[in-house]
Amino acid sequence: MAARQMNTEAFNAETVRAEFPILATEAHGRPLVYLDNAATTQKPQCVLDVIEHYYRAQNSNVHRGAHYLADLATRGFEAAREQLAAFLNANGKEEIVWTRGTTESINLVAQSWGRKHIGAGDHIVISGLEHHANIVPWQMLCEEKDAELKVIPVTDSGELDMDAYGTLLDGPVKLVAVSHVSNALGTVNPVGEIVRLAREAGAITLIDGAQAVAHMPVDVQALGADFYALSAHKLFGPTGLGALWGRYALLESMPPWQGGGEMIERVSFEKTTYNAPPFRFEAGTPDISGVIALGAALDFVGSLDHDSASAHERDVLDYCVARARQCEGLRLIGDATERLGAMSFVLDAGHPADVGTLLDRQGIAVRTGHHCAQPLMARFGVPGTVRASFAVYNTRADVDALFTGIEKVKTFL
Amino acid sequence: MMDKGLYREVLLDHFRNPRNKGSLEEGMQRERGSNPRCGDDIEVGVVQVESRIEQIRFHGRGCSVCIASASMMTEACEGAPSDSAISLCNHVESWVGSREGGTVPHPGVEALDGARAHAARHTCILLSWRALCRLLTADAA
Ligand SMILES: Cc1ncc(COP(=O)(O)O)c(C=O)c1O
């Protein structure tokens, strides 16, 4: 505890905030309080600079033209792949496939690995906490293959029912796909245990890491999963870019899923042979500036003192939850022991849409609605929630502003 | 207070004390409107006598804009000939869609003027009106 306090003090949130120009915005004449980081994080100056620099000084296509700029662009592009591989402790940069985001990463696995390996009667296990991006691709696959989708139930505290999971694994399970951290509730799932049990049952595992990577170190080798999906824009990087990490042997066994340039080895009208992973899965010109900018975002994360930054994040979230427990007429939705990045709630005083609008008028940005997790909302019997979600640059002052705002909402509605 | 534009007093009054809200009676014609995006879910019930709306009620859950709009709708349409109610529904639809300007379709809906400026709230406003319009047009066909 004493050590944690010291770490919190060592962390200077103001210095970090200063790196994010957008945080100085005024919204409706009030200082912006940005608490919608689970939707997307803001971008530090270094990321913005790199994007501009790329188009001013490096713009070219990758892996093609044998000229000065093409070489610069290709080197920047591949260096970022190397950086992300190191960030995830992957077993080499060939295990990193660039995609448009978590959604596309999951669809890639469903369409490529899934269509090859899933057959009639097979089970795919997901959880009741999933984002639609980790539900619908599997539903589509199940429908096509006559397979069955099984769902790990969620307890009243918003955690996964691990006993029920154990029982599900008695079935003919081929794949388990769960989120590392729930975007709607902030619950941290016991993915290590989930993966271990799945492996024992002979199932492949995919972890949706969209909400984890900005908040905790991820070591895919230690985790032992087969696939890990993430989005750059939730990690201080640009929108429209993400990655799929996959074990190389698995990636190598998978057929391509989109055809075009880059993913081929040799094309003739009679027969085309495919490039090796990761290029096999990267048809077409990729988001080159985005990839290079993600490299800058990873530099930003690397520049933070990890221990004190995560102690600071934990302190702000714990403070928010403590304030929420004291707030009359507020009901927390989900109350997991392990929680990261987000807190969801409803107010007796009003519908989430009204609460969100009234907070917005005070400069406070939260997300309201179903958070792309309609089955989870149904589980808790609410039409939607208000979600406050945090990044490393948020402070206790942001939490204070939120609760001052909530008090105003209560008197208004 | 904050946000005079969107949350006018009249709108809040309709939200806090909705008119004609409660369970629908046996024998009413019913139509449901729901918007899974924000969880609004209401049902409109009418009794038509000689092509006139003799009785109109609604029940369900929704945000303030959704509930207030449904409440205003019941007041505006009670006793009206069914075909003028259909015209009113259409007029409200286009008035809301245009976000500003145009003639107010009915004095009873003027307080929605602030809400229609917010495109994100259009479905909230129109949920009940669209349900009523579907009900009446299906019946007229
Ligand atoms: C847990 C989770 N999975 C998947 C996604 C989808 O990410 P993207 O829209 O970047 O593809 C999100 C985004 O909100 C998420 O929170």
Side-chain angles (χ1 to χ4, degrees), chain A residues 177-212:
Chain A
V178 295
S179 51
H180 200 160
V181 176
S182 153
N183 68 307
L185 308 184
T187 306
V188 182
N189 290 321
V191 285
E193 180 72 358
I194 289 172
V195 166
R196 190 181 64 76
L197 292 170
R199 288 177 78 87
E200 278 173 22
I204 291 289
T205 48
L206 176 143
I207 304 299
D208 170 352
Q211 295 296 341

PDB file of all heavy atoms in Angstrom, chain A residues 177-212:
ATOM      1  N   ALA A 177     -13.503 -17.995 -27.649  1.00  0.00           N
ATOM      2  CA  ALA A 177     -13.176 -16.600 -27.965  1.00  0.00           C
ATOM      3  C   ALA A 177     -13.774 -15.699 -26.894  1.00  0.00           C
ATOM      4  O   ALA A 177     -14.994 -15.575 -26.789  1.00  0.00           O
ATOM      5  CB  ALA A 177     -13.719 -16.227 -29.341  1.00  0.00           C
ATOM      6  N   VAL A 178     -12.923 -15.094 -26.071  1.00  0.00           N
ATOM      7  CA  VAL A 178     -13.409 -14.211 -25.004  1.00  0.00           C
ATOM      8  C   VAL A 178     -12.581 -12.927 -24.950  1.00  0.00           C
ATOM      9  O   VAL A 178     -11.448 -12.883 -25.427  1.00  0.00           O
ATOM     10  CB  VAL A 178     -13.363 -14.876 -23.609  1.00  0.00           C
ATOM     11  CG1 VAL A 178     -14.301 -16.053 -23.512  1.00  0.00           C
ATOM     12  CG2 VAL A 178     -11.957 -15.274 -23.251  1.00  0.00           C
ATOM     13  N   SER A 179     -13.185 -11.924 -24.332  1.00  0.00           N
ATOM     14  CA  SER A 179     -12.485 -10.654 -24.199  1.00  0.00           C
ATOM     15  C   SER A 179     -11.547 -10.689 -22.998  1.00  0.00           C
ATOM     16  O   SER A 179     -11.839 -11.351 -21.994  1.00  0.00           O
ATOM     17  CB  SER A 179     -13.488  -9.513 -24.038  1.00  0.00           C
ATOM     18  OG  SER A 179     -14.413  -9.815 -23.019  1.00  0.00           O
ATOM     19  N   HIS A 180     -10.449  -9.966 -23.108  1.00  0.00           N
ATOM     20  CA  HIS A 180      -9.510  -9.855 -21.996  1.00  0.00           C
ATOM     21  C   HIS A 180     -10.127  -8.957 -20.924  1.00  0.00           C
ATOM     22  O   HIS A 180     -10.147  -9.284 -19.748  1.00  0.00           O
ATOM     23  CB  HIS A 180      -8.191  -9.260 -22.522  1.00  0.00           C
ATOM     24  CG  HIS A 180      -7.017  -9.517 -21.638  1.00  0.00           C
ATOM     25  ND1 HIS A 180      -5.729  -9.447 -22.079  1.00  0.00           N
ATOM     26  CD2 HIS A 180      -6.939  -9.832 -20.321  1.00  0.00           C
ATOM     27  CE1 HIS A 180      -4.898  -9.724 -21.078  1.00  0.00           C
ATOM     28  NE2 HIS A 180      -5.611  -9.943 -20.003  1.00  0.00           N
ATOM     29  N   VAL A 181     -10.665  -7.801 -21.373  1.00  0.00           N
ATOM     30  CA  VAL A 181     -11.343  -6.858 -20.481  1.00  0.00           C
ATOM     31  C   VAL A 181     -12.658  -6.464 -21.151  1.00  0.00           C
ATOM     32  O   VAL A 181     -12.689  -6.179 -22.344  1.00  0.00           O
ATOM     33  CB  VAL A 181     -10.486  -5.590 -20.260  1.00  0.00           C
ATOM     34  CG1 VAL A 181     -11.235  -4.571 -19.407  1.00  0.00           C
ATOM     35  CG2 VAL A 181      -9.152  -5.938 -19.602  1.00  0.00           C
ATOM     36  N   SER A 182     -13.746  -6.468 -20.371  1.00  0.00           N
ATOM     37  CA  SER A 182     -15.055  -6.122 -20.926  1.00  0.00           C
ATOM     38  C   SER A 182     -15.156  -4.627 -21.195  1.00  0.00           C
ATOM     39  O   SER A 182     -14.869  -3.820 -20.310  1.00  0.00           O
ATOM     40  CB  SER A 182     -16.160  -6.529 -19.948  1.00  0.00           C
ATOM     41  OG  SER A 182     -17.302  -5.706 -20.119  1.00  0.00           O
ATOM     42  N   ASN A 183     -15.570  -4.270 -22.418  1.00  0.00           N
ATOM     43  CA  ASN A 183     -15.694  -2.848 -22.740  1.00  0.00           C
ATOM     44  C   ASN A 183     -16.871  -2.217 -22.009  1.00  0.00           C
ATOM     45  O   ASN A 183     -16.846  -1.037 -21.673  1.00  0.00           O
ATOM     46  CB  ASN A 183     -15.861  -2.644 -24.250  1.00  0.00           C
ATOM     47  CG  ASN A 183     -17.179  -3.166 -24.758  1.00  0.00           C
ATOM     48  OD1 ASN A 183     -17.531  -4.311 -24.521  1.00  0.00           O
ATOM     49  ND2 ASN A 183     -17.925  -2.319 -25.446  1.00  0.00           N
ATOM     50  N   ALA A 184     -17.912  -2.988 -21.731  1.00  0.00           N
ATOM     51  CA  ALA A 184     -19.122  -2.411 -21.139  1.00  0.00           C
ATOM     52  C   ALA A 184     -18.994  -2.251 -19.627  1.00  0.00           C
ATOM     53  O   ALA A 184     -19.499  -1.281 -19.065  1.00  0.00           O
ATOM     54  CB  ALA A 184     -20.333  -3.265 -21.484  1.00  0.00           C
ATOM     55  N   LEU A 185     -18.335  -3.187 -18.956  1.00  0.00           N
ATOM     56  CA  LEU A 185     -18.299  -3.169 -17.490  1.00  0.00           C
ATOM     57  C   LEU A 185     -16.912  -2.951 -16.905  1.00  0.00           C
ATOM     58  O   LEU A 185     -16.770  -2.643 -15.722  1.00  0.00           O
ATOM     59  CB  LEU A 185     -18.850  -4.493 -16.926  1.00  0.00           C
ATOM     60  CG  LEU A 185     -20.216  -4.967 -17.429  1.00  0.00           C
ATOM     61  CD1 LEU A 185     -20.622  -6.223 -16.689  1.00  0.00           C
ATOM     62  CD2 LEU A 185     -21.269  -3.883 -17.260  1.00  0.00           C
ATOM     63  N   GLY A 186     -15.875  -3.183 -17.707  1.00  0.00           N
ATOM     64  CA  GLY A 186     -14.516  -3.071 -17.183  1.00  0.00           C
ATOM     65  C   GLY A 186     -14.015  -4.328 -16.490  1.00  0.00           C
ATOM     66  O   GLY A 186     -12.899  -4.346 -15.968  1.00  0.00           O
ATOM     67  N   THR A 187     -14.813  -5.379 -16.477  1.00  0.00           N
ATOM     68  CA  THR A 187     -14.388  -6.634 -15.847  1.00  0.00           C
ATOM     69  C   THR A 187     -13.135  -7.194 -16.527  1.00  0.00           C
ATOM     70  O   THR A 187     -13.086  -7.279 -17.755  1.00  0.00           O
ATOM     71  CB  THR A 187     -15.500  -7.709 -15.990  1.00  0.00           C
ATOM     72  OG1 THR A 187     -16.705  -7.170 -15.486  1.00  0.00           O
ATOM     73  CG2 THR A 187     -15.125  -8.992 -15.257  1.00  0.00           C
ATOM     74  N   VAL A 188     -12.143  -7.552 -15.712  1.00  0.00           N
ATOM     75  CA  VAL A 188     -10.965  -8.242 -16.264  1.00  0.00           C
ATOM     76  C   VAL A 188     -11.240  -9.737 -16.165  1.00  0.00           C
ATOM     77  O   VAL A 188     -11.433 -10.268 -15.071  1.00  0.00           O
ATOM     78  CB  VAL A 188      -9.686  -7.892 -15.478  1.00  0.00           C
ATOM     79  CG1 VAL A 188      -8.470  -8.581 -16.092  1.00  0.00           C
ATOM     80  CG2 VAL A 188      -9.473  -6.380 -15.447  1.00  0.00           C
ATOM     81  N   ASN A 189     -11.267 -10.403 -17.291  1.00  0.00           N
ATOM     82  CA  ASN A 189     -11.563 -11.836 -17.273  1.00  0.00           C
ATOM     83  C   ASN A 189     -10.302 -12.646 -16.964  1.00  0.00           C
ATOM     84  O   ASN A 189      -9.203 -12.249 -17.337  1.00  0.00           O
ATOM     85  CB  ASN A 189     -12.149 -12.264 -18.626  1.00  0.00           C
ATOM     86  CG  ASN A 189     -13.538 -11.705 -18.829  1.00  0.00           C
ATOM     87  OD1 ASN A 189     -14.332 -11.655 -17.895  1.00  0.00           O
ATOM     88  ND2 ASN A 189     -13.827 -11.269 -20.042  1.00  0.00           N
ATOM     89  N   PRO A 190     -10.474 -13.780 -16.306  1.00  0.00           N
ATOM     90  CA  PRO A 190      -9.313 -14.629 -15.979  1.00  0.00           C
ATOM     91  C   PRO A 190      -8.853 -15.382 -17.230  1.00  0.00           C
ATOM     92  O   PRO A 190      -9.001 -16.598 -17.331  1.00  0.00           O
ATOM     93  CB  PRO A 190      -9.872 -15.581 -14.913  1.00  0.00           C
ATOM     94  CG  PRO A 190     -11.333 -15.663 -15.191  1.00  0.00           C
ATOM     95  CD  PRO A 190     -11.739 -14.343 -15.794  1.00  0.00           C
ATOM     96  N   VAL A 191      -8.270 -14.641 -18.173  1.00  0.00           N
ATOM     97  CA  VAL A 191      -7.976 -15.250 -19.476  1.00  0.00           C
ATOM     98  C   VAL A 191      -6.905 -16.334 -19.388  1.00  0.00           C
ATOM     99  O   VAL A 191      -6.914 -17.282 -20.181  1.00  0.00           O
ATOM    100  CB  VAL A 191      -7.594 -14.202 -20.543  1.00  0.00           C
ATOM    101  CG1 VAL A 191      -8.820 -13.441 -21.012  1.00  0.00           C
ATOM    102  CG2 VAL A 191      -6.552 -13.231 -20.038  1.00  0.00           C
ATOM    103  N   GLY A 192      -5.977 -16.193 -18.420  1.00  0.00           N
ATOM    104  CA  GLY A 192      -4.958 -17.230 -18.271  1.00  0.00           C
ATOM    105  C   GLY A 192      -5.608 -18.584 -17.998  1.00  0.00           C
ATOM    106  O   GLY A 192      -5.302 -19.589 -18.643  1.00  0.00           O
ATOM    107  N   GLU A 193      -6.534 -18.563 -17.062  1.00  0.00           N
ATOM    108  CA  GLU A 193      -7.257 -19.789 -16.674  1.00  0.00           C
ATOM    109  C   GLU A 193      -8.161 -20.270 -17.827  1.00  0.00           C
ATOM    110  O   GLU A 193      -8.243 -21.465 -18.114  1.00  0.00           O
ATOM    111  CB  GLU A 193      -8.086 -19.457 -15.426  1.00  0.00           C
ATOM    112  CG  GLU A 193      -8.907 -20.571 -14.846  1.00  0.00           C
ATOM    113  CD  GLU A 193      -8.058 -21.633 -14.147  1.00  0.00           C
ATOM    114  OE1 GLU A 193      -6.820 -21.508 -14.146  1.00  0.00           O
ATOM    115  OE2 GLU A 193      -8.656 -22.601 -13.637  1.00  0.00           O
ATOM    116  N   ILE A 194      -8.801 -19.318 -18.478  1.00  0.00           N
ATOM    117  CA  ILE A 194      -9.695 -19.678 -19.590  1.00  0.00           C
ATOM    118  C   ILE A 194      -8.904 -20.381 -20.696  1.00  0.00           C
ATOM    119  O   ILE A 194      -9.332 -21.410 -21.237  1.00  0.00           O
ATOM    120  CB  ILE A 194     -10.396 -18.400 -20.126  1.00  0.00           C
ATOM    121  CG1 ILE A 194     -11.418 -17.905 -19.095  1.00  0.00           C
ATOM    122  CG2 ILE A 194     -11.064 -18.661 -21.475  1.00  0.00           C
ATOM    123  CD1 ILE A 194     -12.039 -16.559 -19.406  1.00  0.00           C
ATOM    124  N   VAL A 195      -7.736 -19.828 -20.999  1.00  0.00           N
ATOM    125  CA  VAL A 195      -6.904 -20.411 -22.052  1.00  0.00           C
ATOM    126  C   VAL A 195      -6.393 -21.788 -21.629  1.00  0.00           C
ATOM    127  O   VAL A 195      -6.424 -22.747 -22.405  1.00  0.00           O
ATOM    128  CB  VAL A 195      -5.722 -19.468 -22.378  1.00  0.00           C
ATOM    129  CG1 VAL A 195      -4.666 -20.180 -23.204  1.00  0.00           C
ATOM    130  CG2 VAL A 195      -6.219 -18.219 -23.099  1.00  0.00           C
ATOM    131  N   ARG A 196      -5.935 -21.876 -20.387  1.00  0.00           N
ATOM    132  CA  ARG A 196      -5.384 -23.151 -19.916  1.00  0.00           C
ATOM    133  C   ARG A 196      -6.435 -24.269 -20.023  1.00  0.00           C
ATOM    134  O   ARG A 196      -6.153 -25.352 -20.550  1.00  0.00           O
ATOM    135  CB  ARG A 196      -4.928 -22.994 -18.456  1.00  0.00           C
ATOM    136  CG  ARG A 196      -4.117 -24.167 -17.916  1.00  0.00           C
ATOM    137  CD  ARG A 196      -3.720 -23.960 -16.458  1.00  0.00           C
ATOM    138  NE  ARG A 196      -4.844 -23.911 -15.537  1.00  0.00           N
ATOM    139  CZ  ARG A 196      -5.539 -24.983 -15.135  1.00  0.00           C
ATOM    140  NH1 ARG A 196      -5.226 -26.171 -15.577  1.00  0.00           N
ATOM    141  NH2 ARG A 196      -6.551 -24.841 -14.294  1.00  0.00           N
ATOM    142  N   LEU A 197      -7.648 -23.978 -19.555  1.00  0.00           N
ATOM    143  CA  LEU A 197      -8.703 -24.991 -19.599  1.00  0.00           C
ATOM    144  C   LEU A 197      -9.077 -25.339 -21.041  1.00  0.00           C
ATOM    145  O   LEU A 197      -9.333 -26.500 -21.368  1.00  0.00           O
ATOM    146  CB  LEU A 197      -9.934 -24.498 -18.829  1.00  0.00           C
ATOM    147  CG  LEU A 197      -9.727 -24.369 -17.311  1.00  0.00           C
ATOM    148  CD1 LEU A 197     -10.905 -23.640 -16.660  1.00  0.00           C
ATOM    149  CD2 LEU A 197      -9.534 -25.749 -16.675  1.00  0.00           C
ATOM    150  N   ALA A 198      -9.090 -24.308 -21.893  1.00  0.00           N
ATOM    151  CA  ALA A 198      -9.437 -24.556 -23.297  1.00  0.00           C
ATOM    152  C   ALA A 198      -8.397 -25.461 -23.948  1.00  0.00           C
ATOM    153  O   ALA A 198      -8.736 -26.391 -24.691  1.00  0.00           O
ATOM    154  CB  ALA A 198      -9.538 -23.232 -24.051  1.00  0.00           C
ATOM    155  N   ARG A 199      -7.140 -25.198 -23.662  1.00  0.00           N
ATOM    156  CA  ARG A 199      -6.070 -26.017 -24.252  1.00  0.00           C
ATOM    157  C   ARG A 199      -6.190 -27.470 -23.800  1.00  0.00           C
ATOM    158  O   ARG A 199      -6.025 -28.394 -24.597  1.00  0.00           O
ATOM    159  CB  ARG A 199      -4.698 -25.473 -23.858  1.00  0.00           C
ATOM    160  CG  ARG A 199      -4.342 -24.184 -24.552  1.00  0.00           C
ATOM    161  CD  ARG A 199      -3.002 -23.667 -24.044  1.00  0.00           C
ATOM    162  NE  ARG A 199      -1.897 -24.411 -24.648  1.00  0.00           N
ATOM    163  CZ  ARG A 199      -1.349 -24.090 -25.822  1.00  0.00           C
ATOM    164  NH1 ARG A 199      -1.802 -23.051 -26.492  1.00  0.00           N
ATOM    165  NH2 ARG A 199      -0.371 -24.792 -26.311  1.00  0.00           N
ATOM    166  N   GLU A 200      -6.477 -27.629 -22.502  1.00  0.00           N
ATOM    167  CA  GLU A 200      -6.649 -28.994 -21.987  1.00  0.00           C
ATOM    168  C   GLU A 200      -7.768 -29.713 -22.717  1.00  0.00           C
ATOM    169  O   GLU A 200      -7.721 -30.920 -22.928  1.00  0.00           O
ATOM    170  CB  GLU A 200      -6.971 -28.960 -20.488  1.00  0.00           C
ATOM    171  CG  GLU A 200      -5.731 -28.807 -19.613  1.00  0.00           C
ATOM    172  CD  GLU A 200      -6.090 -28.610 -18.144  1.00  0.00           C
ATOM    173  OE1 GLU A 200      -7.220 -29.005 -17.734  1.00  0.00           O
ATOM    174  OE2 GLU A 200      -5.251 -28.039 -17.425  1.00  0.00           O
ATOM    175  N   ALA A 201      -8.782 -28.921 -23.107  1.00  0.00           N
ATOM    176  CA  ALA A 201      -9.921 -29.515 -23.800  1.00  0.00           C
ATOM    177  C   ALA A 201      -9.645 -29.602 -25.304  1.00  0.00           C
ATOM    178  O   ALA A 201     -10.518 -29.994 -26.077  1.00  0.00           O
ATOM    179  CB  ALA A 201     -11.173 -28.685 -23.527  1.00  0.00           C
ATOM    180  N   GLY A 202      -8.459 -29.178 -25.725  1.00  0.00           N
ATOM    181  CA  GLY A 202      -8.087 -29.305 -27.133  1.00  0.00           C
ATOM    182  C   GLY A 202      -8.663 -28.217 -28.018  1.00  0.00           C
ATOM    183  O   GLY A 202      -8.743 -28.378 -29.244  1.00  0.00           O
ATOM    184  N   ALA A 203      -9.072 -27.090 -27.418  1.00  0.00           N
ATOM    185  CA  ALA A 203      -9.675 -26.022 -28.224  1.00  0.00           C
ATOM    186  C   ALA A 203      -8.657 -24.917 -28.498  1.00  0.00           C
ATOM    187  O   ALA A 203      -7.744 -24.678 -27.715  1.00  0.00           O
ATOM    188  CB  ALA A 203     -10.884 -25.440 -27.509  1.00  0.00           C
ATOM    189  N   ILE A 204      -8.847 -24.258 -29.634  1.00  0.00           N
ATOM    190  CA  ILE A 204      -8.068 -23.082 -30.014  1.00  0.00           C
ATOM    191  C   ILE A 204      -8.654 -21.879 -29.255  1.00  0.00           C
ATOM    192  O   ILE A 204      -9.855 -21.845 -28.981  1.00  0.00           O
ATOM    193  CB  ILE A 204      -8.208 -22.878 -31.540  1.00  0.00           C
ATOM    194  CG1 ILE A 204      -7.473 -24.002 -32.283  1.00  0.00           C
ATOM    195  CG2 ILE A 204      -7.744 -21.527 -32.000  1.00  0.00           C
ATOM    196  CD1 ILE A 204      -5.973 -23.905 -32.195  1.00  0.00           C
ATOM    197  N   THR A 205      -7.822 -20.880 -28.935  1.00  0.00           N
ATOM    198  CA  THR A 205      -8.347 -19.724 -28.197  1.00  0.00           C
ATOM    199  C   THR A 205      -8.032 -18.403 -28.903  1.00  0.00           C
ATOM    200  O   THR A 205      -6.943 -18.231 -29.461  1.00  0.00           O
ATOM    201  CB  THR A 205      -7.721 -19.639 -26.782  1.00  0.00           C
ATOM    202  OG1 THR A 205      -6.306 -19.788 -26.907  1.00  0.00           O
ATOM    203  CG2 THR A 205      -8.269 -20.716 -25.876  1.00  0.00           C
ATOM    204  N   LEU A 206      -9.002 -17.522 -28.857  1.00  0.00           N
ATOM    205  CA  LEU A 206      -8.810 -16.152 -29.340  1.00  0.00           C
ATOM    206  C   LEU A 206      -9.167 -15.208 -28.206  1.00  0.00           C
ATOM    207  O   LEU A 206     -10.227 -15.346 -27.591  1.00  0.00           O
ATOM    208  CB  LEU A 206      -9.695 -15.865 -30.560  1.00  0.00           C
ATOM    209  CG  LEU A 206      -9.624 -14.417 -31.085  1.00  0.00           C
ATOM    210  CD1 LEU A 206      -9.704 -14.390 -32.611  1.00  0.00           C
ATOM    211  CD2 LEU A 206     -10.713 -13.521 -30.499  1.00  0.00           C
ATOM    212  N   ILE A 207      -8.274 -14.259 -27.929  1.00  0.00           N
ATOM    213  CA  ILE A 207      -8.566 -13.257 -26.904  1.00  0.00           C
ATOM    214  C   ILE A 207      -8.754 -11.911 -27.588  1.00  0.00           C
ATOM    215  O   ILE A 207      -7.916 -11.460 -28.371  1.00  0.00           O
ATOM    216  CB  ILE A 207      -7.415 -13.157 -25.870  1.00  0.00           C
ATOM    217  CG1 ILE A 207      -7.129 -14.530 -25.234  1.00  0.00           C
ATOM    218  CG2 ILE A 207      -7.745 -12.129 -24.794  1.00  0.00           C
ATOM    219  CD1 ILE A 207      -8.277 -15.142 -24.475  1.00  0.00           C
ATOM    220  N   ASP A 208      -9.919 -11.287 -27.301  1.00  0.00           N
ATOM    221  CA  ASP A 208     -10.202  -9.946 -27.797  1.00  0.00           C
ATOM    222  C   ASP A 208      -9.567  -8.967 -26.807  1.00  0.00           C
ATOM    223  O   ASP A 208     -10.087  -8.736 -25.720  1.00  0.00           O
ATOM    224  CB  ASP A 208     -11.719  -9.766 -27.882  1.00  0.00           C
ATOM    225  CG  ASP A 208     -12.126  -8.322 -28.163  1.00  0.00           C
ATOM    226  OD1 ASP A 208     -11.248  -7.428 -28.141  1.00  0.00           O
ATOM    227  OD2 ASP A 208     -13.326  -8.099 -28.391  1.00  0.00           O
ATOM    228  N   GLY A 209      -8.433  -8.401 -27.212  1.00  0.00           N
ATOM    229  CA  GLY A 209      -7.675  -7.545 -26.294  1.00  0.00           C
ATOM    230  C   GLY A 209      -7.933  -6.062 -26.475  1.00  0.00           C
ATOM    231  O   GLY A 209      -7.179  -5.234 -25.931  1.00  0.00           O
ATOM    232  N   ALA A 210      -9.018  -5.707 -27.203  1.00  0.00           N
ATOM    233  CA  ALA A 210      -9.270  -4.298 -27.523  1.00  0.00           C
ATOM    234  C   ALA A 210      -9.177  -3.397 -26.293  1.00  0.00           C
ATOM    235  O   ALA A 210      -8.590  -2.319 -26.345  1.00  0.00           O
ATOM    236  CB  ALA A 210     -10.631  -4.147 -28.198  1.00  0.00           C
ATOM    237  N   GLN A 211      -9.747  -3.852 -25.177  1.00  0.00           N
ATOM    238  CA  GLN A 211      -9.810  -2.983 -23.996  1.00  0.00           C
ATOM    239  C   GLN A 211      -8.677  -3.236 -23.012  1.00  0.00           C
ATOM    240  O   GLN A 211      -8.639  -2.625 -21.946  1.00  0.00           O
ATOM    241  CB  GLN A 211     -11.153  -3.165 -23.275  1.00  0.00           C
ATOM    242  CG  GLN A 211     -12.344  -2.730 -24.091  1.00  0.00           C
ATOM    243  CD  GLN A 211     -12.334  -1.237 -24.403  1.00  0.00           C
ATOM    244  OE1 GLN A 211     -11.645  -0.449 -23.749  1.00  0.00           O
ATOM    245  NE2 GLN A 211     -13.091  -0.835 -25.404  1.00  0.00           N
ATOM    246  N   ALA A 212      -7.788  -4.139 -23.329  1.00  0.00           N
ATOM    247  CA  ALA A 212      -6.738  -4.472 -22.371  1.00  0.00           C
ATOM    248  C   ALA A 212      -5.455  -3.714 -22.649  1.00  0.00           C
ATOM    249  O   ALA A 212      -4.797  -3.217 -21.732  1.00  0.00           O
ATOM    250  CB  ALA A 212      -6.473  -5.979 -22.399  1.00  0.00           C
TER     251      ALA A 212
END
